[in-house]
Amino acid sequence: MRVYINPGHDLTYDSGAVNPNSGLRECDVAAKIGGKVKEYLEAAGCECRLLQSDNLYYDSDYADRPVAVCADANAWPADIFVSIHCNAANSAARGTEVECYNRMSDGGNLAQCIQGQIVHALKTVDRGIKEMPGLAVLKHTDMPAVLVETAFIDNDDDARLLVEDWDKFAAAIARGVTDYECSLQ
């Protein structure tokens, strides 16, 4: 299986969400988790490509901009696409959710496999699978695609998990991908 891994945001110009107390940046967490997901999946026999980017806008905002990460994944071509992020809201919200274009699709199945593994391994609040068809990385990829919101970086308890258990997040995402692969056979 060919897996395209997209840690969200950019290390130099778009950090994504930031924890207001610790300064923990989403781009750094996503990069660390994404790199380890790649290692785990390659060890399991998957071929992986990794590109960190911030190309996650809604189409209505930037309809004329190319989505480079999607074009790269489509041209490779990937069998699945996994974008990795941290959520943020109001410092009180907690938990994990995985977003897909359509719940009743292969992308929805992939989302459920990853969500189940993260919630089981890390005991995060299960916020479920969310349909987000307006997200560019879900709309403009030709393969099943998901956006994983690992935990809320602006919640200190969730942020602690992201710092202390980042490897468990990576392993859970990788297991979710291999669960999905097994579900196809």
Side-chain angles (χ1 to χ4, degrees):
M1 176 168 279
R2 295 171 69 134
V3 182
Y4 200 99
I5 302 163
N6 170 233
H9 302 282
D10 184 87
L11 297 171
T12 56
Y13 67 88
D14 173 27
S15 66
V18 178
N19 181 287
N21 298 318
S22 69
L24 182 66
R25 301 184 322 157
E26 179 179 5
C27 62
D28 298 322
V29 172
K32 196 169 189 178
I33 292 172
K36 196 64 174 181
V37 169
K38 182 177 185 286
E39 284 181 36
Y40 283 132
L41 288 174
E42 287 174 343
C46 295
E47 186 178 350
C48 297
R49 183 175 286 192
L50 185 144
L51 177 65
Q52 187 155 12
S53 76
D54 66 339
N55 291 317
L56 302 171
Y57 53 80
Y58 284 82
D59 285 355
S60 60
D61 295 335
Y62 300 100
D64 59 331
R65 281 181 47 187
V67 185
V69 69
C70 297
D72 191 50
N74 293 339
W76 184 31
D79 294 312
I80 63 171
F81 182 98
V82 179
S83 193
I84 300 169
H85 290 263
C86 303
N87 225 334
N90 56 15
S91 296
R94 296 186 67 185
T96 300
E97 66 187 51
V98 181
E99 299 164 354
C100 62
Y101 186 84
N102 179 345
R103 290 176 54 102
M104 304 307 292
S105 67
D106 285 339
N109 181 20
L110 174 60
Q112 189 58 59
C113 290
I114 293 172
Q115 177 78 7
Q117 284 289 348
I118 293 174
V119 169
H120 175 75
L122 287 122
K123 308 297 185 230
T124 55
V125 173
D126 186 349
R127 296 176 57 88
I129 307 305
K130 308 282 169 68
E131 288 185 353
M132 298 289 286
L135 287 177
V137 295
L138 302 179
K139 184 174 185 177
H140 296 294
T141 44
D142 295 339
M143 68 291 304
V146 296
L147 189 147
V148 181
E149 295 281 12
T150 53
F152 280 79
I153 199 166
D154 63 341
N155 176 288
D156 288 336
D157 292 326
D158 269 14
R160 192 170 8 270
L161 285 176
L162 292 168
V163 170
E164 295 174 4
D165 294 326
W166 65 271
D167 185 71
K168 288 182 182 177
F169 278 102
I173 292 167
R175 282 192 308 273
V177 168
T178 57
D179 287 352
Y180 169 77
E181 184 178 19
C182 289
S183 78
L184 300 176
Q185 299 171 6

